[in-house]
Amino acid sequence: DQPSSVDARDIDGDGRPDLAVACENTASPSGFVSVFRNTMAFTGTSIAQFNIEGFEGDALIDSDDSSVIFEVPVNTDLSSMTAYFQLSNGAEAEVDGVVQESGITENDFSTPLTYFVLAEDGVTFKEWTVIVRYENHLARYLLEGDALDDSGNGNDGAVQGPVNATDRFGSEINAFSFD
């Protein structure tokens, strides 16, 4: 018997195309159909979608650079946020050895995080840098005795000339004196 048609589609609902082969059977007028289940594991390691709970907008996802940037309003607390994400079929992500569950796992996004995305095959992986930063800011300096950029954009400065001074609330590290 020779195959009369071949169709590749997801028959069992697992996200993989299965192969259905219909053959004409000369012994039976109805013929028969054989379905071959695809057991090949996916090797994709992409982050296809990413956002933060409670915020609208699309992340800037750069597959070539393995980076994700998501912007939130200024003064948003970045220390305890839940990400919603979509990975390649069958892939899973970890941050510092903790398996990430979309919409469940909380992370501190005040510094860039490395998402380790492991493909379904258990071998192929990709490390992604995920940055949550304040929107519309080139830099944000908290005046905490240094010139470190708190915006997530990496525009750190160096204090040259001014010295720390006591502010109106008595703190000795939140103000500079220019003499």
Side-chain angles (χ1 to χ4, degrees):
D1 297 326
Q2 296 295 316
S4 59
S5 69
V6 177
D7 184 20
R9 62 185 157 158
D10 183 12
I11 294 170
D12 57 8
D14 68 355
R16 298 182 189 96
D18 300 302
L19 188 63
V21 179
C23 294
E24 299 212 15
N25 185 338
T26 55
S28 167
S30 64
F32 67 90
V33 174
S34 295
V35 175
F36 301 94
R37 186 164 184 262
N38 183 350
T39 58
M40 297 289 293
F42 287 116
T43 59
T45 56
S46 293
I47 296 178
Q49 293 179 342
F50 187 94
N51 64 12
I52 297 292
E53 181 177 39
F55 299 97
E56 293 185 20
D58 296 321
L60 174 62
I61 300 174
D62 185 338
S63 294
D64 295 331
D65 192 36
S66 303
S67 65
V68 176
I69 297 174
F70 189 83
E71 294 186 335
V72 296
V74 175
N75 296 327
T76 299
D77 180 8
L78 304 178
S79 68
S80 181
M81 304 181 101
T82 302
Y84 286 85
F85 52 85
Q86 181 180 354
L87 306 175
S88 297
N89 284 341
E92 69 175 37
E94 290 184 3
V95 173
D96 294 328
V98 176
V99 174
Q100 301 296 295
E101 293 184 60
S102 180
I104 296 175
T105 311
E106 288 187 2
N107 285 298
D108 180 353
F109 286 95
S110 58
T111 60
L113 295 180
T114 300
Y115 271 58
F116 181 88
V117 179
L118 182 65
E120 183 184 47
D121 69 1
V123 177
T124 309
F125 69 91
K126 187 174 191 177
E127 292 184 358
W128 289 79
T129 301
V130 176
I131 299 169
V132 177
R133 67 181 184 197
Y134 297 118
E135 60 192 2
N136 301 321
H137 274 78
L138 294 176
R140 177 179 165 194
Y141 303 101
L142 299 180
L143 297 177
E144 294 179 330
D146 56 37
L148 299 177
D149 176 13
D150 186 56
S151 73
N153 293 328
N155 294 318
D156 295 336
V159 177
Q160 297 179 357
V163 293
N164 287 337
T166 303
D167 68 12
R168 65 182 186 260
F169 303 109
S171 175
E172 296 182 11
I173 63 168
N174 291 334
F176 285 124
S177 172
F178 296 89
D179 207 3

